[in-house]
Amino acid sequence: MTKFFRQMYEKNKHKYESFLMPNYGFRPRNYSAEFSSMVNGKDVCIVGPSGQTEIPKNKVIVSIYAYFIQGDIEYISLYGSNKISYNNSTFYVVKRPAKGLPEGKHRLVNMLHYPVGHAHMLQLALHDILYYKPKSIEVINVNFYTKKYNQSIDGNELAPYKSHLLHEPMMNFYYAKQLYDRGLFYGDQDVSELLGLSVEEYVNKMDEVYD
């Protein structure tokens, strides 16, 4: 797997710059008045699974998680105060889900389409929430896959690489960095340091982690 991400990057890098950033000044196709009332003009905090930063108590908490990486840990149980969750089914949940399939109110999110790869949950959540004009967005406990959440998926050592081929992490990093550089969200120390990297530096870091 040496230089796995470098090879992917060299193949696809010309497509990143062809990506047109969405205009978040317009009402989205899948508009929800209920969802707008939850985030419009509010301080929002998107919480990932790394658990490094304490979760604030005075913000609208949005959790992001994926069933296929959680193993025996139910990530959502760490964020008991959350009202919004994004998961692999691309729904939000306004009631804390039970273990297994989520319960509560669901709605179709506003999907994010790239010229290559598919959006990770963080990027999908950012894209969807920005349409509803929150006062601020903070992102915490996210490391953009620069640390392995687990070594394999169901014992399959190649499964994480297949997931990266599907999502194209450099495209996801590029999109998040564009938003961050434009001041559309801010992050904790780890998020800020990572988004201070160039895409080239991020590629090198990913290859160091997964070599």
Side-chain angles (χ1 to χ4, degrees):
M1 293 299 174
T2 303
K3 304 301 181 185
F4 173 84
F5 295 95
R6 171 60 58 182
Q7 292 177 16
M8 192 188 312
Y9 172 68
E10 293 298 336
K11 177 182 178 182
N12 295 327
K13 64 181 180 180
H14 66 284
K15 297 181 180 179
Y16 307 158
E17 295 182 358
S18 70
F19 175 67
L20 296 177
M21 293 294 291
N23 186 336
Y24 294 110
F26 293 99
R27 176 175 288 201
R29 176 178 298 180
N30 293 322
Y31 178 79
S32 166
E34 179 185 9
F35 190 71
S36 181
S37 70
M38 297 174 71
V39 301
N40 178 254
K42 307 289 180 59
D43 291 312
V44 173
C45 181
I46 300 177
V47 182
S50 70
Q52 301 298 312
T53 301
E54 184 177 353
I55 299 169
K57 297 180 180 179
N58 59 342
K59 296 186 177 184
V60 177
I61 303 301
V62 177
S63 60
I64 51 174
Y65 61 102
Y67 294 123
F68 74 89
I69 63 170
Q70 67 184 5
D72 295 330
I73 301 173
E74 188 180 5
Y75 284 137
I76 195 64
S77 67
L78 301 175
Y79 317 128
S81 62
N82 79 291
K83 293 183 178 180
I84 304 169
S85 300
Y86 287 80
N87 59 55
N88 279 349
S89 300
T90 63
F91 294 118
Y92 86 92
V93 184
V94 295
K95 184 171 116 178
R96 181 177 175 183
K99 190 171 184 178
L101 294 178
E103 298 176 352
K105 287 191 176 182
H106 299 167
R107 96 177 150 83
L108 288 174
V109 304
N110 295 285
M111 297 300 294
L112 174 61
H113 300 287
Y114 295 143
V116 59
H118 300 282
H120 284 137
M121 287 296 103
L122 168 63
Q123 285 78 357
L124 179 62
L126 284 167
H127 172 73
D128 190 45
I129 292 169
L130 280 167
Y131 280 115
Y132 293 93
K133 299 178 176 59
K135 180 179 178 182
S136 68
I137 302 177
E138 179 183 15
V139 175
I140 66 174
N141 296 338
V142 173
N143 58 39
F144 298 95
Y145 296 91
T146 57
K147 295 180 182 178
K148 293 184 180 181
Y149 290 130
N150 52 356
Q151 297 297 317
S152 66
I153 300 173
D154 296 330
N156 184 349
E157 296 292 336
L158 294 179
Y161 295 96
K162 292 179 180 178
S163 175
H164 288 314
L165 281 171
L166 174 66
H167 288 284
E168 223 291 11
M170 281 70 71
M171 181 68 239
N172 277 282
F173 180 82
Y174 175 84
Y175 168 73
K177 184 173 174 61
Q178 290 291 309
L179 297 182
Y180 181 82
D181 289 347
R182 296 179 189 195
L184 294 177
F185 74 94
Y186 66 99
D188 61 15
Q189 182 176 345
D190 287 346
V191 170
S192 298
E193 287 180 357
L194 285 167
L195 290 175
L197 299 176
S198 66
V199 180
E200 285 270 357
E201 291 169 328
Y202 175 71
V203 173
N204 293 335
K205 193 171 187 67
M206 290 292 282
D207 274 326
E208 288 175 5
V209 172
Y210 289 86
D211 189 2

